[in-house]
Amino acid sequence: MATNWGICGICENLQITKPSVVWCSECDEGLCEECKKHHAVSKASKNHETVSIAKYKNLPTEVLQISQTCKLHNEKYELFCAKHDCPCCKKCVKSHNDCKGLTDINELIKNVKTSNAFNEIEQTLQEVVENIKRLSTNRNENLKSIENKKREIEAAIKQTRINVNHHLDKLQDDLIKELMTVEQREKSKIEKLLTSLKKKEKEIAEVQENFASFKQHASELQTFLTMKNIEKDIVGEEKIIQSIATSDLTNQVNISCQINKSLQQITDSVQKFGEINVCSDPCDFSIHKRKDRQAQIMVALPTRNIDNLTLTLQKSINTYLSSVAGCSLLPGNRMVCSSDNVNTLTVLKSDGTKRFEIKNIGRTFDVVFIGDDSIAVTSGESNQINIIDLKKKSKTKSIKVDSYNGGVAYKDGYLIYCAREKGIQMISLNDETITNVNNTNLSGLAYVTTFGDKLFYTNSNDSVTCCDYHGHILWTFCDKSVVRSPRGVSVDNDGNVYVVGYTTTNVVVISPDGQHYRQLLSSEDGLSFPWALHYDTSTNELLVANPSNEAFLYDVK
């Protein structure tokens, strides 16, 4: 921001000191009454929005401190680098030559205050506060239960004491003191947690108040960059709340007392009136979240409409395989293809030349990258899924499942695969437990992919289906004039669904709601009964493979 927003920037340049009455975020300077009028009718600035200085200075300090020009080059920000999560001016581009996905910042901040990302952060803040309140309520209820149980125990102790000899007075007092100590200790733990939760609730409430302020008065860029800062804080707060909810701090504390049965005999051998016991049971409290978040809430880039997508051919590739059934783009601009005929994998270099082959691993069908330079390979006609280490160029593990397996996707430690008559299944790579997503009867040529909380799969009835992780169908696209015998399926960063039409010899993109489509590639682009494809969301590249020896790599914009 300007060094002095209380003085008119234009007049200051003319060595005149006049107080500013409004602030223009586009010009990044204050304006006096006279300059304000000129600013409102000037061709260059008449569309700029201004805000009164009084309202502008009420913005949070962290918003006011956000500069709209590059501190290194003193030029206006014009681009945003998604890789480094920072704005750039034109001169900054030299240090971002290797960064893909540089975005026009004006497109990025357009309508940011009404964007889903803005609303998402606003809702998440409210969600965090609600979870804090629910945690507080849970702990207060435990306090009450302890107090109620304490009263029950006291009554039992006293009632028993009435029936015994007076020489047990001392033992009775000792036991009550022990009860008081236990209660105070457990109450102290819970009250400490409640104090911490109250503090966090207050902090979040302050952020919420600030949200309303910069939503109304901050510039689009200030709003966007502030959101980036807040989202990181939210992730930390969510993790803290999650750790509290799953830690011993929220265990249900109960106290009880077991009266010594020997008291009934009233003998001198009785040395204790009873014992105060504390048990800590895990709480069934769960954090409410509107949707799963991975590392953080990402402020979304502008959504690309399928009508505006452009594909640029980078290279044609020899896959060195026949009957290619699966393909995937790997880190380092490498590619891997699998064949269900010769049961072989080929790993290709970034220039499309063959790097190495992997054979003798059993049947191969589809392939997916699972991290740590490893891939998972389904087998098609067997109940085995193999894990391949690309560094060692060998199989490191074989997983047996309860069905044949075809198309496969990977998400958060789980393989999601087409299990024929058993539908879509998920298997944990950690403990190999299998979960049924749905029971749709799938062909041996069905493929599946994932995006957010949705799954997309193809089937032999010429359909592409979108469902959630509970198997509930959200939409089905089926138009034989558009795509027949759909095979490989993949999704880009905007939820657009890319699918191969084997019989129609094309690649079609379907809108995220399943209502619209557009043909992107056909036989005129070299496709010949194409089978597999993969969209790399980190590079915005699309790999499409014909069954016999040929594949194509496209840039998608």
Side-chain angles (χ1 to χ4, degrees):
M1 61 171 283
T3 55
N4 190 350
W5 41 260
I7 295 177
C8 176
I10 296 176
C11 292
E12 187 177 27
N13 291 333
L14 299 173
Q15 298 182 343
I16 301 172
T17 302
K18 285 187 178 182
S20 56
V21 294
V22 295
W23 177 265
C24 176
S25 295
E26 293 288 331
C27 299
D28 200 26
E29 63 183 358
L31 302 167
C32 64
E33 281 289 355
E34 185 177 346
C35 293
K36 169 188 170 185
K37 295 176 182 178
H38 182 270
H39 182 273
V41 296
S42 172
K43 183 181 293 185
S45 60
K46 64 181 180 180
N47 293 323
H48 292 187
E49 291 187 12
T50 60
V51 61
S52 71
I53 291 295
K55 292 181 179 178
Y56 185 75
K57 69 181 182 180
N58 286 332
L59 286 170
T61 303
E62 58 268 26
V63 177
L64 292 173
Q65 289 176 344
I66 292 175
S67 174
Q68 302 195 75
T69 56
C70 177
K71 294 180 180 178
L72 293 176
H73 305 112
N74 197 31
E75 291 197 4
K76 191 173 182 179
Y77 289 133
E78 295 187 14
L79 300 167
F80 187 84
C81 177
K83 180 178 179 180
H84 293 95
D85 204 26
C86 68
C88 310
C89 70
K90 284 185 176 180
K91 291 182 179 179
C92 291
V93 173
K94 293 181 180 179
S95 60
H96 292 264
N97 285 334
D98 297 329
C99 299
K100 294 187 177 181
L102 283 174
T103 308
D104 185 339
I105 204 163
N106 291 319
E107 289 296 321
L108 190 59
I109 66 177
K110 186 177 181 181
N111 300 322
V112 68
K113 293 182 181 179
T114 58
S115 67
N116 289 335
F118 189 95
N119 182 63
E120 179 67 27
I121 293 178
E122 212 170 19
Q123 294 298 319
T124 303
L125 287 169
Q126 181 61 35
E127 185 179 87
V128 171
V129 171
E130 290 174 357
N131 282 323
I132 290 174
K133 290 180 178 179
R134 292 178 60 247
L135 271 171
S136 299
T137 299
N138 179 274
R139 293 297 83 206
N140 278 315
E141 289 176 351
N142 196 183
L143 276 178
K144 291 179 181 178
S145 69
I146 292 174
E147 292 171 355
N148 291 336
K149 199 65 179 178
K150 173 213 165 191
R151 287 194 289 268
E152 293 176 11
I153 294 171
E154 278 188 316
I157 292 171
K158 292 177 180 179
Q159 184 61 45
T160 303
R161 182 64 186 86
I162 291 173
N163 300 322
V164 300
N165 197 290
H166 290 289
H167 80 274
L168 298 176
D169 285 347
K170 183 178 181 302
L171 295 179
Q172 173 187 309
D173 292 339
D174 290 343
L175 187 58
I176 292 178
K177 286 179 182 179
E178 182 183 353
L179 173 64
M180 296 294 188
T181 300
V182 168
E183 182 212 12
Q184 186 59 42
R185 183 178 69 239
E186 299 305 320
K187 285 178 64 176
S188 177
K189 292 178 183 177
I190 296 174
E191 288 170 345
K192 183 178 179 181
L193 176 57
L194 286 170
T195 300
S196 176
L197 291 173
K198 187 67 177 178
K199 181 180 177 181
K200 288 192 176 299
E201 181 180 0
K202 183 178 179 181
E203 292 173 354
I204 298 299
E206 291 177 356
V207 176
Q208 287 178 298
E209 291 177 359
N210 290 336
F211 231 76
S213 174
F214 70 74
K215 178 178 181 181
Q216 185 174 2
H217 305 303
S219 72
E220 302 292 343
L221 177 58
Q222 289 173 326
T223 301
F224 171 76
L225 295 179
T226 302
M227 287 163 56
K228 299 293 292 183
N229 293 331
I230 294 176
E231 68 177 3
K232 295 173 184 176
D233 295 337
I234 292 174
V235 172
E237 294 298 334
E238 285 188 313
K239 287 181 178 179
I240 291 172
I241 295 171
Q242 184 67 52
S243 66
I244 292 174
T246 57
S247 69
D248 293 341
L249 293 174
T250 55
N251 286 349
Q252 191 71 16
V253 178
N254 297 300
I255 58 175
S256 60
C257 180
Q258 183 177 352
I259 302 299
N260 196 327
K261 293 182 180 179
S262 298
L263 285 173
Q264 299 173 2
Q265 302 174 2
I266 315 178
T267 66
D268 291 338
S269 62
V270 175
Q271 298 299 315
K272 293 184 71 175
F273 203 90
E275 291 183 356
I276 301 297
N277 299 317
V278 177
C279 67
S280 181
D281 299 325
C283 177
D284 60 358
F285 182 89
S286 61
I287 294 294
H288 286 178
K289 300 183 73 173
R290 292 186 302 111
K291 68 175 185 178
D292 292 333
R293 297 173 180 84
Q294 295 181 20
Q296 61 180 350
I297 307 166
M298 297 302 296
V299 176
L301 295 175
T303 300
R304 296 178 299 177
N305 186 288
I306 62 173
D307 294 327
N308 299 327
L309 292 174
T310 59
L311 271 62
T312 304
L313 180 65
Q314 281 193 39
K315 59 177 72 76
S316 296
I317 301 160
N318 185 350
T319 62
Y320 301 94
L321 288 176
S322 61
S323 299
V324 172
C327 64
S328 183
L329 291 162
L330 304 173
N333 295 319
R334 297 169 298 165
M335 293 160 271
V336 60
C337 295
S338 57
S339 168
D340 67 344
N341 183 20
V342 295
N343 300 331
T344 300
L345 300 174
T346 60
V347 177
L348 308 173
K349 299 179 183 178
S350 58
D351 61 3
T353 59
K354 183 165 67 172
R355 186 177 180 188
F356 58 83
E357 285 187 344
I358 302 176
K359 299 181 178 180
N360 303 319
I361 57 172
R363 300 189 65 89
T364 59
F365 189 80
D366 198 12
V367 58
V368 64
F369 183 70
I370 60 174
D372 197 25
D373 216 21
S374 296
I375 56 175
V377 185
T378 55
S379 55
E381 298 294 331
S382 80
N383 64 345
Q384 186 168 290
I385 299 176
N386 292 320
I387 307 300
I388 309 297
D389 187 323
L390 295 176
K391 292 179 182 177
K392 299 178 180 178
K393 304 176 185 178
S394 62
K395 178 170 61 178
T396 58
K397 185 178 182 181
S398 290
I399 303 173
K400 286 189 176 181
V401 295
D402 57 4
S403 65
Y404 287 174
N405 44 88
V408 64
Y410 172 79
K411 182 177 181 182
D412 300 337
Y414 286 86
L415 289 179
I416 304 160
Y417 59 93
C418 299
R420 297 204 177 182
E421 68 277 358
K422 293 190 177 181
I424 303 291
Q425 291 190 328
M426 294 172 53
I427 185 167
S428 167
L429 292 179
N430 181 35
D431 57 16
E432 298 185 13
T433 55
I434 296 175
T435 304
N436 288 323
V437 176
N438 66 23
N439 296 316
T440 301
N441 191 359
L442 300 175
S443 77
L445 304 177
Y447 286 77
V448 64
T449 190
T450 177
F451 179 76
D453 56 358
K454 299 181 180 66
L455 297 174
F456 304 84
Y457 59 90
T458 59
N459 206 358
S460 58
N461 60 355
D462 301 314
S463 66
V464 181
T465 300
C466 172
C467 71
D468 61 22
Y469 279 83
H470 300 289
H472 302 138
I473 294 177
L474 304 178
W475 55 259
T476 296
F477 180 90
C478 185
D479 187 335
K480 295 182 180 181
S481 67
V482 176
V483 58
R484 290 198 307 275
S485 305
R487 297 287 191 265
V489 61
S490 196
V491 183
D492 67 16
N493 291 298
D494 300 300
N496 300 313
V497 185
Y498 300 75
V499 60
V500 163
Y502 175 74
T503 304
T504 42
T505 309
N506 61 354
V507 171
V508 172
V509 62
I510 303 170
S511 61
D513 60 4
Q515 299 299 308
H516 307 284
Y517 72 88
R518 178 185 164 206
Q519 179 171 290
L520 298 176
L521 301 170
S522 67
S523 57
E524 296 179 358
D525 300 290
L527 300 188
S528 178
F529 300 102
W531 194 286
L533 88 169
H534 175 239
Y535 189 99
D536 189 328
T537 55
S538 65
T539 61
N540 289 319
E541 294 176 323
L542 179 69
L543 179 64
V544 184
N546 288 331
S548 54
N549 299 332
E550 192 171 26
F552 307 93
L553 183 64
Y554 293 90
D555 273 325
V556 183
K557 293 183 179 178

